[in-house]
Amino acid sequence: MALFGTNGVRGIVNEELTIEMSMNLARSLAAFLQNRGKKSQPTVVIGTDTRISGMMLKAAAVSGLLESGILVIDVGTVPTPSLQYYIKNRQEIDAGIVITASHNPREYNGIKLIAGDGTEFSREDEKAVEDIYNAGEFKAAAWSKTGSLCFESNCNEEYLTGILAIIDRKAIEKKAFKVVTDTGNGAGSLTLPDLMSRLGCKVMALGAQPDGTFPWRNPEPLPDALKEAVAVIRDAATSFDLGIAQDGDADRAVFIDEKGEFIDEEVMLAAVEKYILHKEKGPVVTTVSTSQRFTDIAKDEEVDIYYTPVGSIDVGRKMVEVGAVYGGEGNGGIIYPRHQICRDGAMAAVLVLEMLAHTGMKASEIKDTVPTYFNEKTKIKIAGDLKTVMQTVSDKIKKDEKEIGCLNIETIDGLKLWFAGGWLLIRPSGTEPIIRVTAEAKIKTDVQKYLEIGEKYLNEFAE
């Protein structure tokens, strides 16, 4: 049974994701840690986002850990990067569990595993835990060696203090920015508005009451979900400098400029890359689905660039391997290793404010600092096994390579077809029965042409 998708284990609560699954995953993690033999009683940190099923699933996971003889630290309701920062700073901690479904709808929840250095579990370690889970190779400790549970209430404060320690706080405070935050009743409600206030910003906080039913908006901060924030910024009487919105577990952030226009996440990822590389040279890492803007800037700055499959796990692991100074995904997932090697929505927000403070530009001018590309995405629901369909599509495309004008094909994650004017990515989802199609080019008409090529090969397999 495959458990882990692109980012942890996720499913609809009490249907696909149950308390039994949560407990057995925790037992499997315990067995994984014990099998490594470093400690007789490993230590695991656990926390949740604000979802109403979080306490139920956490209780089940804690029970599985305690039964297995694990020492457990419960940090409460926290953004995912807050828990990761807590682990990173403590050598005695062996792993972490975050109960979160990130940007997924209300009815979902999930379980994400964190390594002892604060990064996400590697794909290899996820597979090892999954194998233990499927084989049922976990066992209860003797009555005298069951685990213990303690509670930590300072996790979020430590996280915010860590962010403030590495940025140019004075430059931001001097600007006295006016910002709108929309944390969508998620875990970022406990950290982002407070962080902005500490930086001297005047803050209007929307959706800042933690509520796992997400009454304000859906957890994913898409433009359609941010209409209230946009309306506030566009009100002529307010004169806000920036809007910042986060997803349910606050590991990502998206931005709205002072005119109330949504700033494309790919644009922001590249703009911050350019800002960071002007201060510090070094390798950068991103996924095969990221805009060519990111590549162009790396080449202009004469630094090495590395590509990974889609997913913050893969990006983070590669960043560790190559000693990267910056990385991320074009979905609001900025990774700044001076703080920690994980997606971090609050760190991203502060980097953007620092960039605006140092450059003197307005948020609406950010797009003008990076190359212009056109990008479109679609997804096709597939009837049948995704792996089989991808192999069939791959065979057909390779046969027609010259006919469709393809210059090169990369297979880091799915199929990435390079053309004279841009590229096309055909990639199976790690969590749904769909295949995603993304196209990018300098000329808008080329984008549609590439997209149609992808759809042509996939439509015969559509549900």
Side-chain angles (χ1 to χ4, degrees):
M1 176 184 179
L3 294 175
F4 291 92
T6 303
N7 210 261
V9 179
R10 294 186 192 173
I12 297 174
V13 175
N14 286 344
E15 294 181 21
E16 299 154 331
L17 183 60
T18 63
I19 57 171
E20 291 83 6
M21 182 179 287
S22 181
M23 182 178 289
N24 286 337
L25 262 171
R27 287 167 165 166
S28 302
L29 172 63
F32 169 82
L33 295 173
Q34 291 160 341
N35 289 345
R36 294 197 303 189
K38 292 183 178 180
K39 292 181 183 176
S40 58
Q41 279 200 313
T43 301
V44 173
V45 173
I46 192 166
T48 71
D49 66 14
T50 61
R51 292 168 190 269
I52 59 174
S53 57
M55 186 63 72
M56 173 185 79
L57 294 169
K58 181 172 71 172
V62 168
S63 295
L65 293 171
L66 296 178
E67 178 200 50
S68 304
I70 301 296
L71 306 177
V72 182
I73 302 172
D74 184 350
V75 295
T77 303
V78 293
T80 294
S82 178
L83 181 143
Q84 290 179 270
Y85 189 75
Y86 184 87
I87 293 174
K88 174 199 167 195
N89 290 333
R90 288 166 174 79
Q91 291 185 348
E92 71 273 15
I93 295 173
D94 299 283
I97 295 175
V98 189
I99 309 295
T100 178
S102 189
H103 63 276
N104 286 132
R106 302 164 175 83
E107 64 270 24
Y108 283 79
N109 213 326
I111 298 170
K112 182 188 287 192
L113 303 183
I114 308 301
D117 61 356
T119 63
E120 295 174 80
F121 251 49
S122 67
R123 300 296 184 194
E124 294 76 18
D125 286 351
E126 281 186 342
K127 181 64 167 57
V129 172
E130 188 174 282
D131 288 344
I132 294 169
Y133 179 97
N134 287 327
E137 293 176 345
F138 36 79
K139 60 181 180 180
W143 71 268
S144 59
K145 294 184 178 179
T146 54
S148 62
L149 173 65
C150 66
F151 298 88
E152 170 63 74
S153 61
N154 203 46
C155 183
N156 287 337
E157 177 59 32
E158 185 175 308
Y159 167 63
L160 295 182
T161 301
I163 292 174
L164 291 170
I166 65 166
I167 50 91
D168 189 346
R169 188 170 181 174
K170 289 183 179 179
I172 297 173
E173 290 175 343
K174 187 176 180 181
K175 286 290 185 179
F177 290 112
K178 292 180 67 178
V179 300
V180 174
T181 63
D182 183 344
T183 47
N185 306 111
S189 303
L190 300 170
T191 50
L192 186 63
D194 184 19
L195 178 62
M196 294 296 102
S197 293
R198 294 190 198 191
L199 287 168
C201 298
K202 297 178 180 178
V203 186
M204 176 173 284
L206 306 179
Q209 301 75 31
D211 187 338
T213 65
F214 301 109
W216 179 255
R217 61 167 172 82
N218 287 327
E220 187 166 14
L222 296 173
D224 285 349
L226 303 177
K227 291 178 180 177
E228 288 84 358
V230 167
V232 168
I233 293 171
R234 286 181 177 173
D235 185 339
T238 57
S239 299
F240 283 98
D241 299 295
L242 187 70
I244 309 164
Q246 293 182 320
D247 60 342
D249 70 333
D251 66 346
R252 295 189 290 132
V254 300
F255 300 88
I256 304 165
D257 68 25
E258 80 281 0
K259 298 178 181 178
E261 298 295 328
F262 188 78
I263 302 174
D264 187 283
E265 296 106 311
E266 297 280 5
V267 167
M268 188 60 85
L269 180 69
V272 175
E273 175 197 19
K274 185 175 181 179
Y275 172 67
I276 296 298
L277 291 177
H278 278 181
K279 297 196 301 176
E280 180 182 4
K281 298 293 184 186
V284 293
V285 180
T286 194
T287 72
V288 293
S289 66
T290 296
S291 170
Q292 189 69 13
R293 296 178 181 91
F294 196 95
T295 301
D296 289 353
I297 288 169
K299 289 180 178 178
D300 288 344
E301 298 294 333
E302 299 181 336
V303 301
D304 292 331
I305 180 169
Y306 296 88
Y307 303 95
T308 74
V310 171
S312 57
I313 293 174
D314 301 286
V315 175
R317 287 287 152 187
K318 193 67 176 180
M319 290 179 71
V320 172
E321 179 188 328
V322 303
V325 301
Y326 182 72
E329 303 176 280
N331 60 1
I334 285 174
I335 303 176
Y336 187 45
R338 278 196 64 208
H339 180 52
Q340 59 179 339
I341 300 180
C342 68
R343 293 188 306 196
D344 192 332
M347 188 72 244
V350 171
L351 282 173
V352 171
L353 287 180
E354 186 184 89
M355 178 176 68
L356 295 177
H358 281 178
T359 62
M361 65 181 169
K362 295 180 178 180
S364 60
E365 296 169 338
I366 290 173
K367 64 181 182 299
D368 301 323
T369 67
V370 299
T372 299
Y373 283 90
F374 296 97
N375 186 292
E376 286 190 33
K377 302 177 183 179
T378 188
K379 57 186 178 182
I380 298 173
K381 195 167 184 180
I382 299 296
D385 178 65
L386 294 187
K387 188 175 181 180
T388 302
V389 170
M390 283 298 299
Q391 185 59 57
T392 303
V393 170
S394 176
D395 292 341
K396 289 184 176 182
I397 287 176
K398 288 176 181 177
K399 184 180 177 182
D400 300 340
E401 199 170 335
K402 290 184 179 179
E403 182 183 330
I404 62 176
C406 179
L407 304 177
N408 183 37
I409 299 176
E410 294 176 356
T411 56
I412 295 172
D413 188 0
L415 296 169
K416 189 168 186 178
L417 283 60
W418 286 95
F419 300 90
W423 54 265
L424 167 72
L425 179 65
I426 302 172
R427 188 184 71 85
S429 169
T431 56
E432 303 173 78
I434 62 174
I435 292 179
R436 303 183 188 278
V437 185
T438 306
E440 183 177 80
K442 277 283 189 182
I443 302 171
K444 198 168 187 177
T445 53
D446 283 346
V447 175
Q448 190 57 42
K449 181 173 68 176
Y450 301 151
L451 212 60
E452 288 172 0
I453 289 172
E455 291 172 331
K456 180 185 75 172
Y457 285 101
L458 290 171
N459 280 341
E460 65 178 288
F461 305 102
E463 186 172 288

